Amino acid sequence: ASFTISLHKADNTTVTIKLRPDLPASCRIRVKNAVWSELKIKPGQNVTFTFTCSTPEKYFITEIQKNIDCVSGPCPFGDVHLYPPGLPRLNRTYIWDVKASTKAGLELKFTTSWLRQIEPGQTCPDSISYNINSSIDKATVNIGTFCRNGSVSRVKLLGGAVMSLHLPWHSPLTTSGFNIANRASIKRLCIIESILKGESSITLMSPNYPLGFPEDELMTWQFVIPPNMRASVFFHNYSLSNCERKEERVEYYIPGSPSNPEVFKLSDSQPANIAGSFNMSLQGCDQDAQNPGVLRLLFQVVVQHPQVDENVTHLVDLSKERNMTVTIHSEGWPSRIPLMSEPICLICKDPRTCDRVLTLTSGAVYRISFLCKDLSQLRITAEKGIGCMDIRWCQRKIYSLSVPKAITRLPIRLHKFIWKLLATDLINVEVMSPSLKLQQHVPEQRCNTSYSYSIVSATPETELNVGVFCPGGSIEKIQMRNNITISLKTFGKGFINESIPQDLKMSFVPHIKDECIFTVSPNPKAKVYLQTPNWPYGLPPYVSVSWFIVVPSRQTARLGFSKDRMGIACETGRAYVNIKEEILGAEEIVRREDELLPQPRNMHHNFWVNVSNCKPVDKTQLTLQFWVTLADKQIDLGIILAVVAGAGVLTVIGLTVFCVKKKKKKTQNPMVGVYNANVNTQMPGKKGLFRKGRQNNESHVYAVIDDAMVYGHLLKESNGSVAPEVDVYRPFDGPMGSLPPSPPPFSFRKDIKRSSDTEEEPLPLTDTDQDTYTFAHQKSGQSEDNGDANKKDKGDPSVPLLENKERDGLVE
């Protein structure tokens, strides 16, 4: 197909058809018999041409430039048309270069579709874009690039303007969509007017963004907002230049404000909750010629309906807290920044100071409010620091690790509360949960509560993830070295209800040798799983961890490991698992990394489990998991049977002895005690009576001889029974000590009976030449009265024992 382009000389328009950059010349333009790669048609020319290919839109673009001189002659104000007609269907760019005096203002008014500013490098959904430049003398300032379907309705410029419209080859657009008008001088670089209807959000940038705003320039944005709506301004990206004179600032003109204009630094929180229309101006400064820097600004204006509870304030009392910050933010902050098109939630410290993120510090009282339709989009992240530099001042102090009520009372869900516990190298941290206790989150025993604690032990060089824990387990306390970070993270709306009995506490303790020590009181009704820190990545090299397992006295613990071996090979040192009961003489079980771990075993007392790592050969680190269960102690059936059998045998023996004794008493004469007349039998009364040692007297010569041994020859019966063996008394020839031998216990003494006709009067003895010796007589059935008899005897120690017995009628 052939195309004819005819340009009038008065139109001052030039059409250029040229190849796209970086494309091979596979298609050409044929004019009569000549073939060209570029065709330029000037004012007053009429050219007919064709393309040597069927798809010229792939290779060529068209540029149409119209020069408008408003300095030397009248300006063609009004609607701007797309001229000339009949252009081939190629990607085309219309450029209107308007020259005007700086004493007059030039206005570009968009009629069919308002504009939306985009960042450099971004594209428009329909590939139709506008670019506006301000031209003052020979300087050109890029006001910005815009797409259709926005809120920018007018752009007022000082001096001339260069306006570009980019259309794709398939665009059906036939009008430019704007007109040009002449206005009085605006006395600033430009004014951009934006009309916002209903709830909306727009993003705008300073001229030349992301390059620098012109030095010592002033520009204004005018925002037209319905009076029943509220607007808020947020600066998302800005930088400042190096000023020699003046100061870079932002000024607001807000109708009804008593302090117009309101001046803010770019680093300040910008006004929020503005009712109705307002203006915002950016003022530059005189920059340092050697190091000017860059002034740039990207900001957002959000318009929303007034909230129902915008006048409802919430008291946040942090006056008694120390070293704590509370940040209220949108969900996903800071890793996820909400899209500017998303509904916005604002947190306000006062009616005009609102932001998407608000940070409160301890030591003050705040009254905050929310501009947000759905408060479930907001979260709270808090952080508190607790430190100890001298153990003497903080060793006995117990700190509560619970969320303050000032936070839980807010209608915002707590996302995370972080405690940072800082101490010197010789001071360690002990975390306790006395009533709820802690459960370690492991694959076999997952936490199902609405919150959990993540505990990390850190040094400047390394970081050890101790584990994730939740309430309702068996771990009573954890002792750890280094600085500790404990993060409480919530998972649902039930945290406020579940957190009422929070009992997590901490204290500072003296130095421990292990990296951490767990104290565990297993739940008798559940299987307790425990695993090494830094799961699943493994213990760092040379780290030692211990568990102290409490076993109740009436129960037995069973200990088992979840795998057969440690699963590592050591390059330096050895990895060990040590198990030992806390009882005197207990055997210690030790396994190296190249040995099988112990089989499940019963532990009857409190015991320790220690895991110590080496430096592994490869990157595989030591990970170990074990379990503990409790059961009531049970006596072994074999022991029970043995005890019963033993009791039976003793019963039989006892009955046999009893029968034999009874028969013996019937057939034998009673036992006779043979009295040695040469021995003093007087009861010792004073310590001074024993003036001689046992080597110089015969007080040890005594005996009690069974009657059957003395009178055995008289016990023969007619039935031919064998007579008992007759024993003969022999004096003691063994070694003698300085103390008398202890008498036999009462249960082994026999009743001593003597016949009245054999009784003789004992010889009088003195207490000066001889030691005395006394033996006791006890009748059967009187063992219970022995205590009273002894008391009676003690009444007169000078009377011989035998005389006492005779007086009592006990000697026959």
Side-chain angles (χ1 to χ4, degrees), residues 5-54:
I5 296 177
S6 180
L7 299 178
H8 300 288
K9 193 170 185 178
D11 291 335
N12 203 15
T13 300
T14 302
V15 176
T16 304
I17 301 173
K18 55 186 177 181
L19 285 171
R20 288 186 176 188
D22 304 324
L23 282 180
S26 302
C27 189
R28 298 296 184 93
I29 302 171
R30 187 184 300 276
V31 181
K32 296 181 180 179
N33 295 326
V35 177
W36 307 91
S37 59
E38 181 176 320
L39 176 62
K40 187 172 185 178
I41 305 172
K42 298 180 180 180
Q45 291 182 341
N46 188 347
V47 179
T48 299
F49 61 92
T50 60
F51 295 99
T52 60
C53 62
S54 59

Side-chain angles (χ1 to χ4, degrees), residues 1 3 26-28 50-60 89-90 169:
F3 302 91
S26 302
C27 189
R28 298 296 184 93
T50 60
F51 295 99
T52 60
C53 62
S54 59
T55 56
E57 67 274 7
K58 294 181 179 180
Y59 303 97
F60 291 96
R89 290 170 59 86
L90 304 175
W169 67 270

Side-chain angles (χ1 to χ4, degrees), residues 175-191:
T175 60
S176 65
F178 71 97
N179 60 44
I180 300 177
N182 189 14
R183 290 292 181 265
S185 176
I186 59 175
K187 298 180 181 180
R188 61 200 65 204
L189 177 63
C190 65
I191 298 174

Side-chain angles (χ1 to χ4, degrees), residues 527 529 556-565 579 589 591 596-604 607 609 625-629:
K527 195 174 191 178
Y529 287 90
T556 299
R558 189 159 182 83
L559 167 68
F561 290 87
S562 299
K563 57 183 181 180
D564 296 333
R565 293 181 178 273
I579 305 169
I589 302 169
R591 294 292 187 273
L596 289 172
L597 292 173
Q599 294 296 317
R601 59 191 301 112
N602 292 334
M603 312 296 288
H604 302 283
F607 64 95
V609 176
Q625 184 189 87
F626 62 93
W627 50 262
V628 178
T629 58

Side-chain angles (χ1 to χ4, degrees), residues 322-334:
R322 296 292 180 269
N323 302 323
M324 188 170 80
T325 60
V326 178
T327 302
I328 305 174
H329 54 86
S330 59
E331 186 177 8
W333 176 89

Side-chain angles (χ1 to χ4, degrees), residues 368-398:
I368 65 173
S369 59
F370 302 98
L371 293 177
C372 184
K373 281 187 175 181
D374 185 9
L375 291 180
S376 65
Q377 299 179 29
L378 297 178
R379 297 288 184 270
I380 297 175
T381 297
E383 182 175 306
K384 182 178 179 66
I386 302 175
C388 178
M389 298 297 108
D390 190 338
I391 193 67
R392 294 175 298 176
W393 297 104
C394 44
Q395 181 175 6
R396 297 181 180 179
K397 190 173 182 180
I398 297 177

